[in-house]
């Protein structure tokens, strides 16, 4: 099985290369999200997405130059809008950020007696630790779940429970982003 076939079968859960914060045209966004390597295959790792979102906005670390304060202005308001298409669904048989859990045991410490049941709990704990870290860094966190409801983790991850949104329709998704945009604009005007 070649690497594309493995990815399409869900055995490789590595994300796309990070896109640095920049203004993108509609064509660039379309090209990014419609690329052949950007398809839902399961293996949803919310913790990995939140780790990278926080890294992208951090004033320390590898992207710190992108987030330096602007001369003559106050601190920049930082917002993560965490969009997910589902529940956390790690697999011990997918190759991802932490290797292949079945062989490497980096998340479950090789505790295979309960690994399949507990792997999701471990990843959710990592997600919530990263959400707390983002909030400690004064990053406002919104979660948007394309699901009938927000999970307890998505609600806890959001800065406030009012910032944990969910939808099952495109129209409601657009309304959620309008709501977020209005709130972010209000933050700018009030500071």
């Amino acid at each position: 099985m070649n690497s594309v076939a493995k990815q399409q079968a869900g055995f490789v859960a590595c994300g796309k290369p990070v896109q640095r914060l920049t203004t993108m045209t509609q064509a660039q966004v379309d090209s990014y999200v419609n690329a052949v390597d950007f398809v839902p295959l399961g293996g949803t790792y919310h913790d990995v997405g939140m780790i990278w979102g926080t890294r992208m906005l951090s004033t320390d670390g590898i992207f710190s130059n992108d987030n330096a304060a602007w001369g003559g202005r106050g601190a920049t308001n930082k917002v993560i809008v965490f969009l997910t298409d589902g529940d956390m669904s790690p697999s011990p048989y997918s190759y991802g950020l932490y290797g292949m859990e079945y062989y490497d045991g980096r998340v479950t410490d090789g505790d295979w007696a309960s690994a399949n049941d507990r792997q999701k709990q471990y990843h959710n704990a990592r997600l919530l630790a990263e959400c707390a870290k983002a909030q400690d860094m004064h990053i406002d966190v919104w979660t948007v779940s394309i699901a009938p409801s927000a999970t307890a983790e998505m609600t806890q991850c959001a800065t406030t429970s009012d910032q944990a949104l969910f939808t099952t329709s495109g129209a409601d998704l657009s309304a959620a982003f309008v709501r977020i945009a209005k709130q972010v604009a209000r933050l700018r005007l009030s500071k």
Side-chain angles (χ1 to χ4, degrees):
M1 185 180 289
N2 67 31
S3 64
V4 172
K6 287 178 184 176
Q7 184 175 11
Q8 290 172 342
F11 293 115
V12 178
C14 292
K16 288 178 67 67
V18 68
Q19 172 68 43
R20 299 202 55 174
L21 300 175
T22 186
T23 302
M24 296 174 72
T25 66
Q26 184 62 49
Q28 289 170 317
V29 172
D30 289 345
S31 176
Y32 187 78
V33 299
N34 294 321
V36 67
D37 64 344
F38 197 54
V39 293
L41 299 168
T44 300
Y45 290 83
H46 295 147
D47 52 335
V48 176
M50 185 55 71
I51 287 168
W52 278 103
T54 304
R55 283 180 181 165
M56 295 293 296
L57 294 177
S58 176
T59 54
D60 298 322
I62 60 176
F63 299 109
S64 60
N65 289 339
D66 294 351
N67 299 305
W70 292 7
R73 295 187 183 185
T76 304
N77 294 324
K78 296 178 182 180
V79 178
I80 291 176
V81 178
F82 191 90
L83 176 66
T84 179
D85 65 347
D87 195 21
M88 178 85 77
S89 59
S91 168
Y93 309 108
S94 293
Y95 184 81
L97 177 69
Y98 307 110
M100 184 178 284
E101 188 59 28
Y102 182 81
Y103 294 113
D104 300 317
R106 292 188 176 120
V107 175
T108 61
D109 294 327
D111 175 14
W112 283 107
S114 62
N116 288 333
D117 296 331
R118 295 182 54 205
Q119 188 178 11
K120 182 176 176 179
Q121 293 172 339
Y122 287 135
H123 281 284
N124 277 330
R126 287 177 179 217
L127 165 70
L128 295 176
E130 194 62 26
C131 295
K133 175 67 174 173
Q135 292 174 31
D136 287 347
M137 295 168 57
H138 305 287
I139 298 172
D140 196 31
V141 179
W142 291 74
T143 62
V144 180
S145 302
I146 300 175
S149 64
T151 64
E153 292 79 18
M154 288 296 106
T155 301
Q156 189 175 344
C157 181
T159 301
T160 70
S161 60
D162 290 344
Q163 290 176 224
L165 310 177
F166 58 91
T167 181
T168 57
S169 75
D172 287 345
L173 181 60
S174 293
F177 278 95
V178 166
R179 178 177 168 191
I180 294 167
K182 286 180 180 178
Q183 183 62 35
V184 170
R186 193 172 309 136
L187 285 174
R188 287 186 178 170
L189 294 175
S190 68
K191 298 231 177 190

